[in-house]
């Protein structure tokens, strides 16, 4: 009896599954909504007057890779946000002078999000960029040191003056510090995801070309996609062309070993509402201070343990996953959703999926089709080393970055 | 009377207009409040509706007899009944524009599916609410 059941199971396993049926009209609409071709132009950031200024982006790129901004001269943003790992570090938690509290997220495409950080405790890229500089575990520096550095470096002070006026007379330290953040933000706004195999698949679906559909996607990938937008409910939160709603959800990820569960958004919203560098603060360039996201933000107990939904266009080479790197592999992430255990704090919004091992593998096969190179030109994905002082610092740091020297002329 | 029955009634009134061919454009399509005290017309700045974008709505409110409702206390809430959660933002009326028109700011939807927007209107001592279903 049992043997027969096992045999039947094996036969079922070996039999090819019926080919996946073609897509219904609502499904095609859903696929189109996830298509990178439907990614809107990056919204402007009225709080940052240089957000889309190329000179500011060049200045910001240099700051992003410059270790002199740190207390020990050894840390830059790229220590943790490494371009070759899609701007992550491969660690459960960021590591610099000390350990960060959370996992280093990719910053590719993050300019689309109204909120920054896992708990959304900043509301602009420029205000976010100022925090690691003064975080004792990260750059461990402070604003006066950094503003002095800009003033002392002739090429920096020239770039600064062109954008914001002369340093230091014209500006207070806080204003100059905000301007540094705004330049880094202008750089980060250039880091965008490119089209993936998934997007080529959607193109064939939209064109109604069934033969090409089967050439682009394997049967497992098609089935995985069907689960993703259907039974597995992933598009409830991972929606839109970046596969993120940029909102906060409790998905019951267990606490980091030896730590109390992370409060997430309930704490993040409190912090951003009171932050001096927020949209409503004096350093925002938005004269009308529209600040709709901040003014109409929701607070409340349903945000306990809620984290911002990450984009799924940054999964390749970016593990471990989740806000503290609690989950090592994609297969384990899917098991986590399949079980959906009650949350340690707050309320887990997702329900157990009850998918089979085969279905989970199909879902994973689909997730892998979202991998793609950045849409950003290579020159932005490495340090623009051309300043002798910086090259000296880098060589002293024993780093082989000199290989990737690019000159400003090539930019 | 339950809210749901009233909504059905509101929809029937609307349907009635459409079927009997008496609709003269937008002004005749309105949402009726639960106790049939107010009529509401809304326009969204995002048409067709879209997820993940914060935007404004304009509300026009009249009494059932067609008098514009001035300076009412109007609140906006909502959620996804099937998922048992609310809106991701806290929209509110930020301005009374005159002639029964109200500006609502801070509306955003973060998921596809069936939403409901609940608008409560209180003019003088008379409060009533309107539930608007929305498919995103």
């Amino acid at each position: 009896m049992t043997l027969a059941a096992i045999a039947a199971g094996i036969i079922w396993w070996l039999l090819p599954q019926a080919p996946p049926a073609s897509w219904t009209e609502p499904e095609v609409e859903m696929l189109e909504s996830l298509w990178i071709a439907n990614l809107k132009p990056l919204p402007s950031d009225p709080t940052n007057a240089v957000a889309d200024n190329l000179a500011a982006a060049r200045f910001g790129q240099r700051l992003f890779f410059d270790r002199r901004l740190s207390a020990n001269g050894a840390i830059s943003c790229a220590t943790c946000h490494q371009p070759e790992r899609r701007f992550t570090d491969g660690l459960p938690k960021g590591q610099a002078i000390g350990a960060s509290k959370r996992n280093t997220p990719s910053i590719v495409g993050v300019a689309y999000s109204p909120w920054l950080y896992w708990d959304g405790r900043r509301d602009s890229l420029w205000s976010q960029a100022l925090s690691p500089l003064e975080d004792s575990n990260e750059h461990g520096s402070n604003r006066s040191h950094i503003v002095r550095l800009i003033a002392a470096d002739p090429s920096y002070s020239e770039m600064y003056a062109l954008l914001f006026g002369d340093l230091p007379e014209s500006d207070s330290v806080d204003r100059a510090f905000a301007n540094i953040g705004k330049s880094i933000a202008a750089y980060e706004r250039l880091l965008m995801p490119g089209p993936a195999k998934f997007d080529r698949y959607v193109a064939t679906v939209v064109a109604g070309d069934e033969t090409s559909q089967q050439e682009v996607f394997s049967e497992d990938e098609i089935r995985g996609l069907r689960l993703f937008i259907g039974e597995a409910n992933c598009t409830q939160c991972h929606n839109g062309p970046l596969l993120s709603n940029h909102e906060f959800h409790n998905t019951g990820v267990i606490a980091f070993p030896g730590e109390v569960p992370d409060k997430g958004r309930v704490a993040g919203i409190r912090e951003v509402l009171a932050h001096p560098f927020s949209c409503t603060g004096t350093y925002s360039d938005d004269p009308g201070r529209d600040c709709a996201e901040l003014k109409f933000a929701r607070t409340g107990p349903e945000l306990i343990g809620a984290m911002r939904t990450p984009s799924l266009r940054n999964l390749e080479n970016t593990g471990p996953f989740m806000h503290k790197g609690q989950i090592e592999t994609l297969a384990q992430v899917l098991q986590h959703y399949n079980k959906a255990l009650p949350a340690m704090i707050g309320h887990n919004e997702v329900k157990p999926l009850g998918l089979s091992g085969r279905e989970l593998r199909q879902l994973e096969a689909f997730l892998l089709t979202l991998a793609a190179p950045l849409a950003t030109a290579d020159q932005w994905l490495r340090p623009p080393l051309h300043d002798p002082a910086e090259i000296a610092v880098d060589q002293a740091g024993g780093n082989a970055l000199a290989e990737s020297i690019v000159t400003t002329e090539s930019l | 009377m339950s809210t749901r029955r009233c909504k059905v009634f509101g929809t029937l009134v609307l349907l009635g207009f459409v079927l009997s061919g008496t609709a003269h454009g937008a002004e005749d399509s309105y949402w009726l409040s639960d106790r049939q005290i107010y009529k509401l017309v809304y326009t969204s700045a995002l048409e067709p509706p879209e997820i993940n974008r914060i935007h404004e709505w304009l509300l026009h409110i009249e009494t059932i007899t067609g008098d514009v409702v001035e300076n009412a206390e109007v609140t906006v809430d909502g959620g996804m009944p099937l998922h048992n959660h609310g809106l991701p933002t806290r929209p509110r009326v930020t301005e009374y524009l005159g002639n029964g028109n109200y500006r609502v700011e801070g509306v955003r939807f973060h998921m596809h599916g069936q939403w409901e927007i609940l608008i409560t209107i209180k003019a003088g001592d008379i409060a009533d609410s309107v539930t608007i279903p929305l498919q995103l």
Side-chain angles (χ1 to χ4, degrees):
Chain A
M1 188 57 199
T2 341
L3 270 182
I6 293 171
I10 292 173
I11 290 168
W12 174 82
W13 179 253
L14 291 174
L15 279 178
Q17 284 179 292
S22 54
W23 301 100
T24 63
E25 208 170 296
E27 285 170 338
V28 172
E29 259 176 47
M30 173 58 87
L31 294 183
E32 276 189 83
S33 75
L34 304 173
W35 195 16
I36 205 162
N38 283 323
L39 185 63
K40 298 234 156 55
L42 189 57
S44 64
D45 177 1
T47 71
N48 179 358
V50 299
D52 298 306
N53 179 319
L54 204 59
R58 290 202 183 108
F59 182 33
Q61 180 185 17
R62 288 184 58 193
L63 296 168
F64 190 91
F65 289 97
D66 190 343
R67 299 181 196 163
R68 295 174 301 165
L69 269 52
S70 65
N72 63 1
I75 308 297
S76 75
C77 307
T79 303
C80 303
H81 301 284
Q82 301 163 15
E84 59 282 9
R85 289 178 183 268
R86 225 177 164 84
F87 294 88
T88 65
D89 54 13
L91 302 169
K93 294 180 182 179
Q95 184 68 46
I97 292 178
S100 304
K101 292 195 188 67
R102 298 207 180 99
N103 177 257
T104 307
S106 174
I107 56 175
V108 177
V110 79
Y112 278 91
S113 176
W115 306 108
L116 284 304
Y117 282 132
W118 288 99
D119 58 1
R121 65 183 182 278
R122 292 292 179 278
D123 66 342
S124 70
L125 271 179
W126 65 267
S127 64
Q128 187 286 324
L130 302 175
S131 304
L133 297 173
E134 294 192 325
D135 184 320
S136 59
N137 291 319
E138 299 185 338
H139 286 63
S141 186
N142 64 65
R143 57 193 77 177
S144 338
H145 165 80
I146 291 168
V147 172
R148 272 201 305 274
L149 174 83
I150 306 292
D153 178 313
S155 101
Y156 274 171
S157 52
E158 191 185 326
M159 285 173 122
Y160 183 97
L162 279 174
L163 293 161
F164 308 108
D166 282 340
L167 250 182
E169 298 83 33
S170 65
D171 277 329
S172 75
V173 168
D174 286 351
R175 166 108 17 222
F177 192 46
N179 287 340
I180 287 162
K182 287 172 186 174
S183 305
I184 296 176
Y187 166 62
E188 293 174 302
R189 283 169 67 85
L190 300 176
L191 306 174
M192 288 297 155
K197 186 160 101 168
F198 164 70
D199 301 294
R200 288 198 292 285
Y201 179 73
V202 180
T204 63
V205 172
V206 170
D209 180 352
E210 298 220 1
T211 338
S212 314
Q213 275 173 42
Q214 262 132 52
E215 281 161 20
V216 181
F217 258 20
S218 71
E219 278 198 12
D220 273 355
E221 288 162 346
I222 297 177
R223 285 177 202 285
L225 173 55
R226 190 176 291 287
L227 288 165
F228 186 83
I229 66 167
E231 212 181 320
N233 275 325
C234 309
T235 46
Q236 227 186 71
C237 306
H238 298 283
N239 54 33
L242 293 175
L243 297 113
S244 169
N245 58 4
H246 311 305
E247 263 301 326
F248 300 88
H249 300 281
N250 183 329
T251 55
V253 178
I254 54 162
F256 192 83
E259 289 182 10
V260 294
D262 194 319
K263 289 210 191 68
R265 179 60 169 170
V266 266
I269 184 67
R270 227 175 286 138
E271 185 170 333
V272 67
L273 285 171
H275 202 267
F277 290 117
S278 80
C279 176
T280 49
T282 32
Y283 301 100
S284 160
D285 297 327
D286 183 3
R289 299 274 198 282
D290 177 30
C291 306
E293 293 284 358
L294 197 62
K295 279 190 202 154
F296 303 100
R298 180 166 286 273
T299 54
E302 67 273 24
L303 296 170
I304 295 174
M307 300 291 166
R308 208 183 84 236
T309 310
S311 167
L312 299 183
R313 288 192 179 270
N314 295 319
L315 293 178
E316 192 188 26
N317 202 15
T318 61
F321 302 102
M322 304 305 186
H323 63 276
K324 288 192 175 164
Q326 292 102 319
I327 305 185
E328 195 117 359
T329 65
L330 278 184
Q332 288 163 343
V333 169
L334 296 176
Q335 279 162 19
H336 150 82
Y337 281 113
N338 210 31
K339 291 198 205 100
L341 300 174
M344 293 174 77
I345 49 164
H347 168 73
N348 190 352
E349 290 175 46
V350 296
K351 308 212 166 39
L353 298 174
L355 299 178
S356 70
R358 177 191 272 195
E359 287 170 316
L360 293 179
R361 277 189 294 279
Q362 291 167 338
L363 207 39
E364 185 180 352
F366 159 67
L367 289 178
L368 296 173
T369 70
L370 293 165
L374 267 66
T376 310
D378 281 350
Q379 75 217 30
W380 297 104
L381 308 181
R382 54 193 180 208
L385 287 184
H386 64 284
D387 183 289
E390 279 169 65
I391 294 168
V393 168
D394 272 302
Q395 283 166 348
N399 195 294
L401 284 174
E403 286 167 19
S404 58
I405 292 180
V406 281
T407 58
T408 29
E409 288 85 291
S410 72
L411 293 181
Chain B
M1 222 200 289
S2 81
T3 357
R4 201 149 288 280
R5 289 235 317 274
C6 294
K7 250 181 331 194
V8 169
F9 179 78
T11 315
L12 283 180
V13 169
L14 251 179
L15 213 80
F17 272 114
V18 175
L19 291 181
S20 61
T22 55
H24 312 279
E27 279 178 12
D28 285 331
S29 338
Y30 56 80
W31 298 93
L32 192 60
S33 65
D34 291 353
R35 290 164 46 219
Q36 301 166 44
I37 292 167
Y38 302 115
K39 299 193 292 187
L40 179 143
V41 178
Y42 80 90
T43 24
S44 164
L46 263 191
E47 204 52 63
E50 224 179 273
I51 58 166
N52 302 343
R53 277 181 72 188
I54 201 156
H55 60 284
E56 291 183 14
W57 278 23
L58 288 182
L59 310 179
H60 177 76
I61 304 172
E62 292 178 9
T63 62
I64 190 72
T65 50
D67 299 324
V68 298
V69 176
E70 308 259 11
N71 290 308
E73 264 176 57
V74 180
T75 65
V76 181
D77 204 350
M80 294 185 94
L82 289 177
H83 293 295
N84 193 25
H85 66 66
L87 291 169
T89 55
R90 190 163 279 161
R92 62 174 186 269
V93 170
T94 51
E95 198 180 352
Y96 176 59
L97 302 163
N99 199 32
N101 295 319
Y102 300 78
R103 185 198 308 283
V104 177
E105 289 186 80
V107 183
R108 181 152 57 82
F109 306 100
H110 61 308
M111 293 179 187
H112 296 284
Q114 189 61 52
W115 287 84
E116 275 182 6
I117 293 291
L118 177 75
I119 297 172
T120 55
I121 302 155
K122 189 172 169 214
D125 283 342
I126 310 166
D128 204 357
S129 56
V130 182
T131 308
I132 302 171
L134 258 183
Q135 180 68 37
L136 269 117

